[in-house]
Amino acid sequence: GENVEQHPSTLSVQEGDSAVIKCTYSDSASNYFPWYKQELGKGPQLIIDIRSNVGEKKDQRIAVTLNKTAKHFSLHITETQPEDSAVYFCAAGGFQKLVFGTGTRLLVSP
Amino acid sequence: NAGVTQTPKFRVLKTGQSMTLLCAQDMNHEYMYWYRQDPGMGLRLIHYSVGEGTTAKGEVPDGYNVSRLKKQNFLLGLESAAPSQTSVYFCASSYARGETQYFGPGTRLLVL
């Protein structure tokens, strides 16, 4: 089955810096790669996703890149703001199930 | 639209007690999922359903049962709760396979 590894587990940046979170996956059949943001006491919310026929996708300050050959994908947040502080999860899969990474706690200091 | 809602928000059980967690969605989604979230382990799939009347096992199904009698509801049951089932439980739904999953706010369960 699919296995997803996520790094780093914690990431501290200064406001305005960029943040990068990386994930690797094991199943070459996976074709859907979403990223979720989870704020304290809430459920995960989708922030961006990418499918296997696309190498990069951007939405304002957030971008995701996918390298299918190496089986890894990354989340890039530019010009970070304190409200970006949260736990971020990557996931891989498609069809019926998603497998999630273990999460990255991002702390953006003013 | 309320999206995905979960009941209750918080519950304390004693070992051996039973309970049912309710998930409801008003988006007419076919697929529904139950996850548990534990520190350092991310979200792990317990059971899922691909449509009304269907259920299937996920990654960690032992100790749990589910039912999907109505398309909008997905119930998670614990017949005999154990301390190892202390966790935060999330329900999610999606329109179709491979599509975005929308999560509820979670149920925090403590088993003493």
Side-chain angles (χ1 to χ4, degrees), chain A residues 96-97, chain B residues 31-35 45-62 64-68 74-76:
Chain A
Q96 294 174 349
K97 293 184 283 185
Chain B
Y31 288 66
M32 296 188 75
Y33 313 82
W34 275 108
Y35 292 90
L45 184 64
I46 304 171
H47 286 282
Y48 65 101
S49 168
V50 302
E52 181 178 318
T54 74
T55 62
K57 293 181 180 179
E59 182 185 357
V60 288
D62 294 343
Y64 305 95
N65 56 74
V66 288
S67 63
R68 183 99 182 267
F74 195 28
L75 278 62
L76 177 71

Short mmCIF file of all heavy atoms in Angstrom, two decimals, chain A residues 96-97, chain B residues 31-35 45-62 64-68 74-76:
data_model
loop_
_atom_site.label_atom_id
_atom_site.label_comp_id
_atom_site.label_asym_id
_atom_site.label_seq_id
_atom_site.Cartn_x
_atom_site.Cartn_y
_atom_site.Cartn_z
N GLN A 96 -10.14 5.53 -4.32
CA GLN A 96 -11.00 5.55 -3.14
C GLN A 96 -10.35 6.09 -1.88
O GLN A 96 -11.03 6.55 -0.98
CB GLN A 96 -11.53 4.13 -2.85
CG GLN A 96 -12.46 3.64 -3.94
CD GLN A 96 -12.87 2.20 -3.72
OE1 GLN A 96 -12.30 1.52 -2.89
NE2 GLN A 96 -13.83 1.74 -4.48
N LYS A 97 -9.04 6.05 -1.78
CA LYS A 97 -8.42 6.37 -0.50
C LYS A 97 -7.26 7.36 -0.65
O LYS A 97 -6.59 7.42 -1.67
CB LYS A 97 -7.90 5.10 0.16
CG LYS A 97 -8.99 4.15 0.60
CD LYS A 97 -8.42 2.95 1.35
CE LYS A 97 -7.81 1.95 0.41
NZ LYS A 97 -7.37 0.74 1.13
N TYR B 31 -19.02 9.56 -1.28
CA TYR B 31 -18.00 8.93 -0.46
C TYR B 31 -17.94 9.58 0.92
O TYR B 31 -17.98 10.81 1.04
CB TYR B 31 -16.62 9.06 -1.12
CG TYR B 31 -16.42 8.19 -2.33
CD1 TYR B 31 -17.15 8.38 -3.49
CD2 TYR B 31 -15.48 7.17 -2.31
CE1 TYR B 31 -16.97 7.57 -4.59
CE2 TYR B 31 -15.27 6.36 -3.41
CZ TYR B 31 -16.03 6.57 -4.55
OH TYR B 31 -15.83 5.76 -5.64
N MET B 32 -17.81 8.73 1.95
CA MET B 32 -17.62 9.25 3.30
C MET B 32 -16.55 8.42 4.01
O MET B 32 -16.37 7.23 3.70
CB MET B 32 -18.94 9.24 4.08
CG MET B 32 -20.00 10.17 3.49
SD MET B 32 -21.48 10.36 4.49
CE MET B 32 -20.87 11.43 5.81
N TYR B 33 -15.86 9.05 4.95
CA TYR B 33 -14.68 8.46 5.57
C TYR B 33 -14.66 8.76 7.07
O TYR B 33 -15.10 9.83 7.49
CB TYR B 33 -13.40 9.04 4.96
CG TYR B 33 -13.37 9.11 3.46
CD1 TYR B 33 -13.97 10.16 2.78
CD2 TYR B 33 -12.71 8.14 2.72
CE1 TYR B 33 -13.94 10.24 1.39
CE2 TYR B 33 -12.66 8.22 1.33
CZ TYR B 33 -13.28 9.26 0.67
OH TYR B 33 -13.24 9.33 -0.69
N TRP B 34 -14.10 7.83 7.84
CA TRP B 34 -13.79 8.08 9.24
C TRP B 34 -12.29 7.91 9.44
O TRP B 34 -11.71 6.89 9.05
CB TRP B 34 -14.52 7.12 10.17
CG TRP B 34 -15.90 7.55 10.52
CD1 TRP B 34 -17.06 7.01 10.08
CD2 TRP B 34 -16.28 8.60 11.41
NE1 TRP B 34 -18.13 7.66 10.63
CE2 TRP B 34 -17.68 8.65 11.45
CE3 TRP B 34 -15.54 9.52 12.18
CZ2 TRP B 34 -18.38 9.58 12.23
CZ3 TRP B 34 -16.24 10.44 12.95
CH2 TRP B 34 -17.65 10.46 12.96
N TYR B 35 -11.66 8.95 10.05
CA TYR B 35 -10.25 8.93 10.37
C TYR B 35 -10.08 9.11 11.88
O TYR B 35 -10.92 9.71 12.54
CB TYR B 35 -9.51 10.10 9.70
CG TYR B 35 -9.42 10.05 8.20
CD1 TYR B 35 -10.40 10.62 7.40
CD2 TYR B 35 -8.32 9.48 7.57
CE1 TYR B 35 -10.31 10.60 6.02
CE2 TYR B 35 -8.22 9.45 6.19
CZ TYR B 35 -9.21 10.02 5.42
OH TYR B 35 -9.10 10.00 4.05
N LEU B 45 -6.99 6.17 8.29
CA LEU B 45 -8.33 5.81 7.84
C LEU B 45 -8.85 4.59 8.61
O LEU B 45 -8.20 3.55 8.64
CB LEU B 45 -8.32 5.53 6.33
CG LEU B 45 -9.64 5.21 5.68
CD1 LEU B 45 -10.59 6.42 5.76
CD2 LEU B 45 -9.42 4.80 4.23
N ILE B 46 -10.04 4.73 9.20
CA ILE B 46 -10.63 3.63 9.96
C ILE B 46 -11.54 2.79 9.06
O ILE B 46 -11.34 1.59 8.88
CB ILE B 46 -11.44 4.17 11.16
CG1 ILE B 46 -10.58 5.07 12.05
CG2 ILE B 46 -12.01 3.01 11.98
CD1 ILE B 46 -11.37 5.81 13.11
N HIS B 47 -12.56 3.42 8.52
CA HIS B 47 -13.50 2.80 7.58
C HIS B 47 -13.94 3.86 6.58
O HIS B 47 -13.83 5.06 6.86
CB HIS B 47 -14.75 2.27 8.30
CG HIS B 47 -14.56 1.03 9.11
ND1 HIS B 47 -14.49 -0.23 8.55
CD2 HIS B 47 -14.45 0.86 10.45
CE1 HIS B 47 -14.35 -1.12 9.52
NE2 HIS B 47 -14.32 -0.50 10.68
N TYR B 48 -14.46 3.41 5.47
CA TYR B 48 -15.01 4.36 4.51
C TYR B 48 -16.21 3.74 3.80
O TYR B 48 -16.48 2.54 3.94
CB TYR B 48 -13.95 4.83 3.52
CG TYR B 48 -13.39 3.75 2.60
CD1 TYR B 48 -13.83 3.63 1.29
CD2 TYR B 48 -12.40 2.89 3.05
CE1 TYR B 48 -13.31 2.66 0.45
CE2 TYR B 48 -11.88 1.91 2.22
CZ TYR B 48 -12.33 1.80 0.93
OH TYR B 48 -11.81 0.83 0.09
N SER B 49 -16.91 4.58 3.05
CA SER B 49 -18.10 4.13 2.34
C SER B 49 -18.12 4.78 0.96
O SER B 49 -17.85 5.98 0.83
CB SER B 49 -19.35 4.54 3.11
OG SER B 49 -20.51 4.37 2.32
N VAL B 50 -18.41 3.98 -0.05
CA VAL B 50 -18.45 4.51 -1.42
C VAL B 50 -19.88 4.79 -1.88
O VAL B 50 -20.09 5.13 -3.05
CB VAL B 50 -17.72 3.58 -2.41
CG1 VAL B 50 -16.28 3.38 -1.98
CG2 VAL B 50 -18.42 2.25 -2.55
N GLY B 51 -20.83 4.64 -0.99
CA GLY B 51 -22.21 4.95 -1.32
C GLY B 51 -23.14 4.40 -0.26
O GLY B 51 -22.74 3.59 0.59
N GLU B 52 -24.39 4.83 -0.32
CA GLU B 52 -25.39 4.38 0.65
C GLU B 52 -25.44 2.85 0.70
O GLU B 52 -25.47 2.19 -0.34
CB GLU B 52 -26.76 4.93 0.24
CG GLU B 52 -27.88 4.58 1.16
CD GLU B 52 -29.19 5.23 0.70
OE1 GLU B 52 -29.18 6.39 0.32
OE2 GLU B 52 -30.21 4.52 0.73
N GLY B 53 -25.42 2.31 1.92
CA GLY B 53 -25.50 0.87 2.10
C GLY B 53 -24.18 0.13 1.96
O GLY B 53 -24.15 -1.10 2.11
N THR B 54 -23.08 0.85 1.69
CA THR B 54 -21.78 0.19 1.54
C THR B 54 -20.81 0.65 2.60
O THR B 54 -20.88 1.80 3.06
CB THR B 54 -21.14 0.50 0.17
OG1 THR B 54 -20.64 1.84 0.18
CG2 THR B 54 -22.13 0.32 -0.96
N THR B 55 -19.92 -0.25 3.03
CA THR B 55 -18.83 0.12 3.93
C THR B 55 -17.61 -0.71 3.57
O THR B 55 -17.74 -1.81 2.99
CB THR B 55 -19.18 -0.11 5.41
OG1 THR B 55 -19.42 -1.50 5.63
CG2 THR B 55 -20.38 0.70 5.84
N ALA B 56 -16.44 -0.21 3.93
CA ALA B 56 -15.20 -0.93 3.66
C ALA B 56 -14.18 -0.59 4.74
O ALA B 56 -14.24 0.49 5.33
CB ALA B 56 -14.66 -0.58 2.28
N LYS B 57 -13.24 -1.52 4.97
CA LYS B 57 -12.22 -1.30 6.00
C LYS B 57 -11.10 -0.43 5.48
O LYS B 57 -10.71 -0.51 4.32
CB LYS B 57 -11.65 -2.66 6.44
CG LYS B 57 -12.65 -3.52 7.17
CD LYS B 57 -12.01 -4.84 7.62
CE LYS B 57 -13.01 -5.70 8.35
NZ LYS B 57 -12.42 -7.00 8.78
N GLY B 58 -10.60 0.40 6.39
CA GLY B 58 -9.44 1.21 6.08
C GLY B 58 -8.19 0.62 6.69
O GLY B 58 -8.04 -0.59 6.80
N GLU B 59 -7.31 1.49 7.13
CA GLU B 59 -6.00 1.08 7.66
C GLU B 59 -6.08 0.51 9.08
O GLU B 59 -5.35 -0.41 9.43
CB GLU B 59 -5.09 2.32 7.63
CG GLU B 59 -3.68 2.09 8.08
CD GLU B 59 -2.90 3.41 8.14
OE1 GLU B 59 -3.46 4.47 7.77
OE2 GLU B 59 -1.74 3.38 8.57
N VAL B 60 -6.97 1.08 9.92
CA VAL B 60 -7.04 0.70 11.34
C VAL B 60 -8.49 0.41 11.75
O VAL B 60 -9.06 1.11 12.59
CB VAL B 60 -6.41 1.78 12.25
CG1 VAL B 60 -4.90 1.79 12.10
CG2 VAL B 60 -6.99 3.16 11.93
N PRO B 61 -9.12 -0.64 11.22
CA PRO B 61 -10.55 -0.87 11.45
C PRO B 61 -10.91 -1.59 12.75
O PRO B 61 -12.07 -1.57 13.18
CB PRO B 61 -10.94 -1.74 10.26
CG PRO B 61 -9.69 -2.54 9.99
CD PRO B 61 -8.55 -1.60 10.29
N ASP B 62 -9.92 -2.24 13.39
CA ASP B 62 -10.23 -3.11 14.54
C ASP B 62 -10.81 -2.32 15.70
O ASP B 62 -10.27 -1.30 16.10
CB ASP B 62 -8.97 -3.86 14.98
CG ASP B 62 -8.50 -4.85 13.93
OD1 ASP B 62 -9.31 -5.19 13.03
OD2 ASP B 62 -7.34 -5.27 13.99
N TYR B 64 -13.85 -1.04 15.72
CA TYR B 64 -14.84 -0.08 15.23
C TYR B 64 -15.80 -0.75 14.24
O TYR B 64 -15.41 -1.66 13.52
CB TYR B 64 -14.17 1.08 14.50
CG TYR B 64 -13.12 1.81 15.27
CD1 TYR B 64 -11.77 1.47 15.13
CD2 TYR B 64 -13.45 2.86 16.12
CE1 TYR B 64 -10.79 2.14 15.83
CE2 TYR B 64 -12.47 3.55 16.82
CZ TYR B 64 -11.14 3.17 16.67
OH TYR B 64 -10.17 3.85 17.36
N ASN B 65 -17.04 -0.27 14.23
CA ASN B 65 -17.97 -0.67 13.18
C ASN B 65 -18.63 0.58 12.62
O ASN B 65 -18.65 1.63 13.27
CB ASN B 65 -19.02 -1.66 13.71
CG ASN B 65 -19.79 -1.10 14.89
OD1 ASN B 65 -20.64 -0.23 14.74
ND2 ASN B 65 -19.48 -1.56 16.09
N VAL B 66 -19.12 0.48 11.40
CA VAL B 66 -19.73 1.63 10.73
C VAL B 66 -21.01 1.22 10.03
O VAL B 66 -21.23 0.04 9.74
CB VAL B 66 -18.77 2.27 9.70
CG1 VAL B 66 -17.63 3.02 10.37
CG2 VAL B 66 -18.24 1.23 8.73
N SER B 67 -21.85 2.21 9.78
CA SER B 67 -23.04 1.96 8.98
C SER B 67 -23.37 3.20 8.16
O SER B 67 -23.15 4.34 8.60
CB SER B 67 -24.23 1.57 9.85
OG SER B 67 -24.58 2.63 10.73
N ARG B 68 -23.91 2.97 6.97
CA ARG B 68 -24.28 4.06 6.05
C ARG B 68 -25.68 3.75 5.52
O ARG B 68 -25.87 3.37 4.38
CB ARG B 68 -23.27 4.12 4.90
CG ARG B 68 -23.54 5.27 3.92
CD ARG B 68 -22.67 6.44 4.18
NE ARG B 68 -22.95 7.55 3.27
CZ ARG B 68 -22.31 7.75 2.11
NH1 ARG B 68 -21.36 6.90 1.72
NH2 ARG B 68 -22.61 8.79 1.37
N PHE B 74 -23.07 8.94 8.18
CA PHE B 74 -22.10 7.85 8.32
C PHE B 74 -21.82 7.71 9.80
O PHE B 74 -21.33 8.65 10.43
CB PHE B 74 -20.82 8.19 7.53
CG PHE B 74 -19.89 7.03 7.29
CD1 PHE B 74 -20.35 5.73 7.22
CD2 PHE B 74 -18.54 7.25 7.09
CE1 PHE B 74 -19.50 4.66 6.96
CE2 PHE B 74 -17.66 6.20 6.83
CZ PHE B 74 -18.15 4.92 6.77
N LEU B 75 -22.14 6.57 10.38
CA LEU B 75 -22.03 6.36 11.81
C LEU B 75 -20.81 5.51 12.13
O LEU B 75 -20.55 4.50 11.46
CB LEU B 75 -23.28 5.67 12.35
CG LEU B 75 -24.51 6.54 12.65
CD1 LEU B 75 -25.04 7.22 11.41
CD2 LEU B 75 -25.59 5.73 13.32
N LEU B 76 -20.10 5.89 13.18
CA LEU B 76 -18.95 5.12 13.66
C LEU B 76 -19.28 4.63 15.07
O LEU B 76 -19.58 5.42 15.95
CB LEU B 76 -17.68 5.99 13.70
CG LEU B 76 -16.43 5.31 14.25
CD1 LEU B 76 -15.90 4.27 13.25
CD2 LEU B 76 -15.34 6.35 14.53
#
